[in-house]
Short mmCIF file of all heavy atoms in Angstrom, two decimals:
data_model
loop_
_atom_site.label_atom_id
_atom_site.label_comp_id
_atom_site.label_asym_id
_atom_site.label_seq_id
_atom_site.Cartn_x
_atom_site.Cartn_y
_atom_site.Cartn_z
N THR T 236 32.69 55.15 -7.19
CA THR T 236 32.56 53.77 -7.71
C THR T 236 31.50 52.98 -6.90
O THR T 236 30.71 52.23 -7.49
CB THR T 236 33.89 53.05 -7.62
OG1 THR T 236 34.86 53.78 -8.40
CG2 THR T 236 33.81 51.64 -8.19
N ALA T 237 31.48 53.16 -5.57
CA ALA T 237 30.61 52.36 -4.75
C ALA T 237 29.16 52.92 -4.68
O ALA T 237 28.19 52.16 -4.61
CB ALA T 237 31.18 52.28 -3.34
N TYR T 238 29.03 54.26 -4.75
CA TYR T 238 27.70 54.85 -4.50
C TYR T 238 26.97 55.33 -5.75
O TYR T 238 25.80 55.59 -5.72
CB TYR T 238 27.83 56.00 -3.52
CG TYR T 238 27.70 55.52 -2.10
CD1 TYR T 238 28.77 55.00 -1.42
CD2 TYR T 238 26.46 55.53 -1.44
CE1 TYR T 238 28.65 54.51 -0.13
CE2 TYR T 238 26.32 55.05 -0.16
CZ TYR T 238 27.42 54.54 0.49
OH TYR T 238 27.29 54.04 1.77
N LEU T 239 27.69 55.42 -6.91
CA LEU T 239 26.96 55.77 -8.13
C LEU T 239 25.94 54.69 -8.51
O LEU T 239 24.86 55.04 -8.99
CB LEU T 239 27.95 56.02 -9.26
CG LEU T 239 27.42 57.02 -10.35
CD1 LEU T 239 27.10 58.35 -9.74
CD2 LEU T 239 28.48 57.18 -11.43
N PRO T 240 26.26 53.38 -8.30
CA PRO T 240 25.19 52.38 -8.49
C PRO T 240 23.98 52.61 -7.59
O PRO T 240 22.85 52.36 -8.03
CB PRO T 240 25.89 51.06 -8.17
CG PRO T 240 27.35 51.31 -8.44
CD PRO T 240 27.58 52.72 -8.04
N VAL T 241 24.21 53.05 -6.36
CA VAL T 241 23.07 53.33 -5.48
C VAL T 241 22.26 54.52 -5.99
O VAL T 241 21.01 54.51 -5.99
CB VAL T 241 23.56 53.57 -4.03
CG1 VAL T 241 22.40 53.81 -3.09
CG2 VAL T 241 24.40 52.36 -3.53
N ILE T 242 22.98 55.56 -6.44
CA ILE T 242 22.32 56.72 -7.05
C ILE T 242 21.49 56.25 -8.27
O ILE T 242 20.35 56.66 -8.48
CB ILE T 242 23.36 57.78 -7.52
CG1 ILE T 242 23.96 58.47 -6.29
CG2 ILE T 242 22.74 58.78 -8.45
CD1 ILE T 242 23.09 59.55 -5.71
N GLY T 243 22.10 55.35 -9.07
CA GLY T 243 21.39 54.83 -10.23
C GLY T 243 20.13 54.08 -9.88
O GLY T 243 19.10 54.24 -10.56
N GLU T 244 20.18 53.29 -8.79
CA GLU T 244 18.96 52.58 -8.36
C GLU T 244 17.86 53.55 -7.96
O GLU T 244 16.70 53.34 -8.29
CB GLU T 244 19.32 51.67 -7.19
CG GLU T 244 20.10 50.42 -7.56
CD GLU T 244 19.22 49.43 -8.27
OE1 GLU T 244 18.29 48.85 -7.66
OE2 GLU T 244 19.47 49.19 -9.48
N HIS T 245 18.23 54.63 -7.29
CA HIS T 245 17.23 55.57 -6.81
C HIS T 245 16.71 56.48 -7.92
O HIS T 245 15.58 56.98 -7.82
CB HIS T 245 17.80 56.40 -5.66
CG HIS T 245 17.85 55.69 -4.35
ND1 HIS T 245 16.90 55.83 -3.39
CD2 HIS T 245 18.72 54.79 -3.87
CE1 HIS T 245 17.16 55.07 -2.34
NE2 HIS T 245 18.32 54.40 -2.63
N ARG T 246 17.51 56.72 -8.96
CA ARG T 246 17.09 57.60 -10.04
C ARG T 246 16.68 56.81 -11.28
O ARG T 246 16.56 57.41 -12.35
CB ARG T 246 18.20 58.59 -10.40
CG ARG T 246 18.57 59.52 -9.19
CD ARG T 246 19.63 60.53 -9.61
NE ARG T 246 20.08 61.32 -8.48
CZ ARG T 246 21.03 62.24 -8.52
NH1 ARG T 246 21.65 62.49 -9.66
NH2 ARG T 246 21.40 62.88 -7.45
N ALA T 247 16.58 55.49 -11.17
CA ALA T 247 16.18 54.62 -12.29
C ALA T 247 17.14 54.69 -13.44
O ALA T 247 16.72 54.75 -14.62
CB ALA T 247 14.76 54.96 -12.71
N ILE T 248 18.44 54.74 -13.17
CA ILE T 248 19.47 54.71 -14.21
C ILE T 248 19.98 53.26 -14.30
O ILE T 248 20.39 52.69 -13.29
CB ILE T 248 20.62 55.65 -13.88
CG1 ILE T 248 20.10 57.09 -13.68
CG2 ILE T 248 21.68 55.64 -14.96
CD1 ILE T 248 21.15 58.07 -13.21
N ALA T 249 20.00 52.70 -15.47
CA ALA T 249 20.35 51.29 -15.68
C ALA T 249 21.81 51.03 -15.30
O ALA T 249 22.67 51.92 -15.45
CB ALA T 249 20.12 50.89 -17.14
N PRO T 250 22.15 49.81 -14.84
CA PRO T 250 23.52 49.49 -14.52
C PRO T 250 24.50 49.71 -15.68
O PRO T 250 25.63 50.16 -15.46
CB PRO T 250 23.48 48.00 -14.16
CG PRO T 250 22.09 47.79 -13.67
CD PRO T 250 21.21 48.74 -14.47
N ALA T 251 24.08 49.44 -16.92
CA ALA T 251 24.96 49.64 -18.06
C ALA T 251 25.28 51.14 -18.21
O ALA T 251 26.41 51.49 -18.53
CB ALA T 251 24.32 49.12 -19.35
N THR T 252 24.32 52.03 -17.96
CA THR T 252 24.55 53.45 -18.05
C THR T 252 25.47 53.89 -16.93
O THR T 252 26.38 54.74 -17.13
CB THR T 252 23.22 54.21 -17.96
OG1 THR T 252 22.37 53.76 -18.99
CG2 THR T 252 23.44 55.72 -18.11
N ILE T 253 25.31 53.35 -15.71
CA ILE T 253 26.18 53.69 -14.61
C ILE T 253 27.62 53.27 -14.92
O ILE T 253 28.56 54.02 -14.68
CB ILE T 253 25.71 53.00 -13.32
CG1 ILE T 253 24.40 53.60 -12.84
CG2 ILE T 253 26.77 53.10 -12.21
CD1 ILE T 253 24.47 55.03 -12.41
N GLY T 254 27.79 52.10 -15.55
CA GLY T 254 29.12 51.66 -15.94
C GLY T 254 29.76 52.61 -16.94
O GLY T 254 30.95 52.93 -16.85
N LEU T 255 28.97 53.09 -17.90
CA LEU T 255 29.48 54.04 -18.88
C LEU T 255 29.85 55.38 -18.19
O LEU T 255 30.89 56.00 -18.55
CB LEU T 255 28.43 54.31 -19.97
CG LEU T 255 28.23 53.15 -20.96
CD1 LEU T 255 27.05 53.45 -21.86
CD2 LEU T 255 29.48 52.96 -21.80
N LEU T 256 29.05 55.82 -17.25
CA LEU T 256 29.37 57.07 -16.55
C LEU T 256 30.66 56.95 -15.76
O LEU T 256 31.52 57.85 -15.77
CB LEU T 256 28.20 57.46 -15.61
CG LEU T 256 26.91 57.91 -16.27
CD1 LEU T 256 25.82 58.07 -15.23
CD2 LEU T 256 27.13 59.21 -17.03
N LEU T 257 30.86 55.82 -15.09
CA LEU T 257 32.10 55.63 -14.34
C LEU T 257 33.30 55.55 -15.27
O LEU T 257 34.38 56.04 -14.96
CB LEU T 257 32.02 54.35 -13.49
CG LEU T 257 31.08 54.39 -12.27
CD1 LEU T 257 30.93 53.01 -11.67
CD2 LEU T 257 31.62 55.37 -11.23
#
Side-chain angles (χ1 to χ4, degrees):
T236 302
Y238 271 84
L239 208 59
V241 181
I242 288 281
E244 285 288 294
H245 282 261
R246 298 184 187 176
I248 303 174
T252 304
I253 292 294
L255 287 172
L256 289 173
L257 288 171

